[in-house]
Amino acid sequence: QESMMLYKSYLTKSSIIRAGKQRIQRCFSSTTTETSSTIIASRPIVELREYLLFPEHVTEFAKITEERADVRKGLLPLRLFGYPETGGVLNNATHAYYYPGGMDDREKLRNIAWQNPAWLEYVNEVKHCVFQQKSTIFVEAPLVYSSEEAEDHDNNGNNSSSSILGLKNE
Protein backbone atom coordinates (compact mmCIF):
# COMPACT_ATOMS: atom_id res chain seq x y z
CA GLN A 1 0.00 0.00 0.00
CA GLU A 2 2.89 2.36 0.73
CA SER A 3 4.36 1.64 -2.71
CA MET A 4 0.97 2.45 -4.27
CA MET A 5 0.92 5.81 -2.47
CA LEU A 6 4.47 6.54 -3.67
CA TYR A 7 3.45 5.61 -7.22
CA LYS A 8 0.40 7.93 -7.09
CA SER A 9 2.61 10.71 -5.70
CA TYR A 10 5.06 10.12 -8.56
CA LEU A 11 2.26 10.27 -11.13
CA THR A 12 0.94 13.51 -9.65
CA LYS A 13 4.40 15.10 -9.65
CA SER A 14 5.05 13.86 -13.20
CA SER A 15 1.79 15.32 -14.49
CA ILE A 16 2.49 18.65 -12.79
CA ILE A 17 5.98 18.77 -14.30
CA ARG A 18 4.64 17.75 -17.73
CA ALA A 19 1.91 20.43 -17.58
CA GLY A 20 4.49 23.03 -16.55
CA LYS A 21 6.76 22.09 -19.45
CA GLN A 22 3.84 22.35 -21.88
CA ARG A 23 2.95 25.83 -20.58
CA ILE A 24 6.56 26.95 -20.95
CA GLN A 25 6.74 25.54 -24.47
CA ARG A 26 3.55 27.42 -25.43
CA CYS A 27 5.00 30.65 -24.04
CA PHE A 28 8.13 30.36 -26.14
CA SER A 29 6.74 28.72 -29.25
CA SER A 30 6.73 30.50 -32.58
CA THR A 31 3.44 31.79 -33.91
CA THR A 32 4.46 30.75 -37.41
CA THR A 33 3.84 27.34 -38.89
CA GLU A 34 7.59 26.69 -39.05
CA THR A 35 9.06 24.17 -36.66
CA SER A 36 11.81 25.31 -34.32
CA SER A 37 14.39 23.23 -36.20
CA THR A 38 13.37 24.94 -39.46
CA ILE A 39 13.65 28.35 -37.83
CA ILE A 40 17.08 27.58 -36.43
CA ALA A 41 18.25 26.07 -39.72
CA SER A 42 17.32 29.18 -41.69
CA ARG A 43 18.10 32.06 -39.29
CA PRO A 44 21.58 33.58 -39.23
CA ILE A 45 23.80 32.11 -36.53
CA VAL A 46 27.03 32.97 -34.78
CA GLU A 47 29.21 30.08 -33.69
CA LEU A 48 31.60 30.77 -30.84
CA ARG A 49 34.36 28.17 -30.75
CA GLU A 50 36.79 27.93 -27.87
CA TYR A 51 39.88 25.76 -27.79
CA LEU A 52 41.52 25.20 -24.43
CA LEU A 53 45.20 24.79 -25.21
CA PHE A 54 47.94 22.99 -23.35
CA PRO A 55 50.00 25.83 -21.78
CA GLU A 56 53.23 24.50 -23.24
CA HIS A 57 51.76 24.60 -26.78
CA VAL A 58 50.06 28.03 -26.82
CA THR A 59 52.95 29.72 -28.65
CA GLU A 60 53.19 26.91 -31.21
CA PHE A 61 49.41 26.97 -31.81
CA ALA A 62 49.46 30.76 -32.26
CA LYS A 63 52.39 30.63 -34.70
CA ILE A 64 50.92 27.89 -36.89
CA THR A 65 47.44 29.45 -36.80
CA GLU A 66 48.82 32.84 -37.83
CA GLU A 67 50.81 31.27 -40.66
CA ARG A 68 47.68 29.47 -41.90
CA ALA A 69 45.18 32.31 -41.30
CA ASP A 70 44.46 32.60 -45.02
CA VAL A 71 43.28 28.96 -45.11
CA ARG A 72 40.75 29.52 -42.29
CA LYS A 73 39.55 32.88 -43.66
CA GLY A 74 39.25 31.46 -47.17
CA LEU A 75 37.05 28.56 -46.09
CA LEU A 76 35.00 29.80 -43.13
CA PRO A 77 33.23 33.10 -42.30
CA LEU A 78 35.65 34.11 -39.51
CA ARG A 79 34.64 37.28 -37.65
CA LEU A 80 36.84 37.12 -34.53
CA PHE A 81 39.96 35.32 -33.42
CA GLY A 82 41.72 36.08 -30.18
CA TYR A 83 43.11 35.02 -26.84
CA PRO A 84 41.63 36.40 -23.60
CA GLU A 85 44.11 38.47 -21.61
CA THR A 86 42.07 38.92 -18.43
CA GLY A 87 38.71 37.96 -17.01
CA GLY A 88 38.46 34.58 -18.66
CA VAL A 89 40.07 31.20 -19.02
CA LEU A 90 43.71 31.52 -20.00
CA ASN A 91 45.34 29.47 -22.74
CA ASN A 92 42.09 29.67 -24.65
CA ALA A 93 41.86 30.39 -28.38
CA THR A 94 38.45 31.93 -29.09
CA HIS A 95 36.98 32.43 -32.53
CA ALA A 96 33.57 33.40 -33.85
CA TYR A 97 32.01 32.64 -37.20
CA TYR A 98 28.93 34.27 -38.73
CA TYR A 99 26.73 32.08 -40.94
CA PRO A 100 24.00 34.18 -42.60
CA GLY A 101 22.36 31.01 -43.97
CA GLY A 102 22.04 29.40 -40.54
CA MET A 103 22.84 25.82 -39.65
CA ASP A 104 22.53 24.67 -43.27
CA ASP A 105 25.18 27.22 -44.28
CA ARG A 106 27.43 26.10 -41.40
CA GLU A 107 27.17 22.44 -42.34
CA LYS A 108 27.87 23.14 -46.00
CA LEU A 109 30.93 25.32 -45.34
CA ARG A 110 32.38 22.97 -42.72
CA ASN A 111 31.99 20.02 -45.12
CA ILE A 112 33.87 21.99 -47.79
CA ALA A 113 36.63 22.79 -45.28
CA TRP A 114 37.04 19.14 -44.32
CA GLN A 115 37.57 18.27 -47.99
CA ASN A 116 40.34 20.86 -48.36
CA PRO A 117 43.90 19.43 -48.11
CA ALA A 118 45.32 22.69 -46.68
CA TRP A 119 42.71 22.68 -43.88
CA LEU A 120 43.40 19.03 -43.06
CA GLU A 121 47.13 19.75 -42.94
CA TYR A 122 46.57 22.71 -40.58
CA VAL A 123 44.32 20.65 -38.28
CA ASN A 124 46.89 17.84 -38.13
CA GLU A 125 49.63 20.34 -37.23
CA VAL A 126 47.74 21.90 -34.30
CA LYS A 127 45.60 19.11 -32.90
CA HIS A 128 48.23 18.08 -30.35
CA CYS A 129 48.05 21.63 -28.93
CA VAL A 130 44.34 21.40 -28.11
CA PHE A 131 43.20 19.92 -24.81
CA GLN A 132 39.45 20.62 -25.16
CA GLN A 133 37.05 22.11 -27.71
CA LYS A 134 33.77 23.90 -27.09
CA SER A 135 31.26 25.18 -29.62
CA THR A 136 28.32 27.42 -28.74
CA ILE A 137 25.83 28.42 -31.42
CA PHE A 138 23.75 31.57 -31.06
CA VAL A 139 20.62 31.98 -33.19
CA GLU A 140 19.89 35.53 -34.22
CA ALA A 141 16.79 36.72 -32.40
CA PRO A 142 14.00 38.34 -34.43
CA LEU A 143 14.49 41.63 -32.59
CA VAL A 144 18.02 42.10 -33.95
CA TYR A 145 17.99 44.40 -36.93
CA SER A 146 19.32 43.24 -40.26
CA SER A 147 22.30 44.78 -42.06
CA GLU A 148 19.90 46.71 -44.32
CA GLU A 149 18.22 48.23 -41.29
CA ALA A 150 21.61 49.10 -39.84
CA GLU A 151 22.17 51.30 -42.89
CA ASP A 152 19.16 53.35 -41.75
CA HIS A 153 21.34 54.82 -39.00
CA ASP A 154 22.98 58.17 -39.70
CA ASN A 155 26.67 58.89 -39.08
CA ASN A 156 25.93 59.85 -35.46
CA GLY A 157 24.34 56.46 -34.75
CA ASN A 158 20.81 57.89 -34.69
CA ASN A 159 18.07 55.73 -36.12
CA SER A 160 16.58 57.37 -39.18
CA SER A 161 14.09 54.55 -39.84
CA SER A 162 10.68 54.05 -38.30
CA SER A 163 11.86 51.30 -35.97
CA ILE A 164 12.94 52.13 -32.44
CA LEU A 165 16.64 51.68 -31.70
CA GLY A 166 17.07 49.66 -34.88
CA LEU A 167 14.79 46.86 -33.69
CA LYS A 168 12.57 45.08 -36.14
CA ASN A 169 8.92 46.06 -36.26
CA GLU A 170 7.37 42.61 -35.96
Side-chain angles (χ1 to χ4, degrees), residues 103-159:
M103 292 297 287
D104 293 338
D105 193 19
R106 177 184 178 269
E107 183 179 349
K108 178 182 137 208
L109 292 174
R110 288 181 57 80
N111 284 338
I112 290 170
W114 284 107
Q115 301 302 315
N116 184 293
W119 178 255
L120 296 174
E121 186 178 317
Y122 163 73
V123 170
N124 283 327
E125 284 185 62
V126 297
K127 68 182 176 184
H128 72 278
C129 302
V130 179
F131 172 70
Q132 183 180 36
Q133 294 178 302
K134 179 181 175 186
S135 174
T136 307
I137 295 180
F138 298 89
V139 179
E140 184 177 278
L143 62 92
V144 177
Y145 58 81
S146 68
S147 58
E148 295 82 26
E149 291 166 329
E151 294 172 4
D152 290 338
H153 288 73
D154 63 24
N155 292 333
N156 297 322
N158 298 317
N159 188 347

Side-chain angles (χ1 to χ4, degrees), residues 26-44:
R26 281 194 305 270
C27 290
F28 289 99
S29 67
S30 175
T31 56
T32 67
T33 57
E34 295 178 295
T35 65
S36 60
S37 61
T38 303
I39 292 169
I40 291 171
S42 62
R43 279 201 186 146

Side-chain angles (χ1 to χ4, degrees), residues 12 23 25 44 55 63 66 70 74-75 79 95 99 107 111 115 129 151 162 164:
T12 303
R23 279 195 294 272
Q25 287 172 344
K63 181 181 180 288
E66 187 176 335
D70 58 329
L75 293 170
R79 295 296 181 261
H95 32 115
Y99 296 97
E107 183 179 349
N111 284 338
Q115 301 302 315
C129 302
E151 294 172 4
S162 60
I164 299 171

Side-chain angles (χ1 to χ4, degrees), residues 63-83:
K63 181 181 180 288
I64 295 169
T65 298
E66 187 176 335
E67 290 170 355
R68 302 293 183 100
D70 58 329
V71 174
R72 184 186 303 266
K73 291 189 299 186
L75 293 170
L76 299 167
L78 183 67
R79 295 296 181 261
L80 168 104
F81 190 94
Y83 304 93

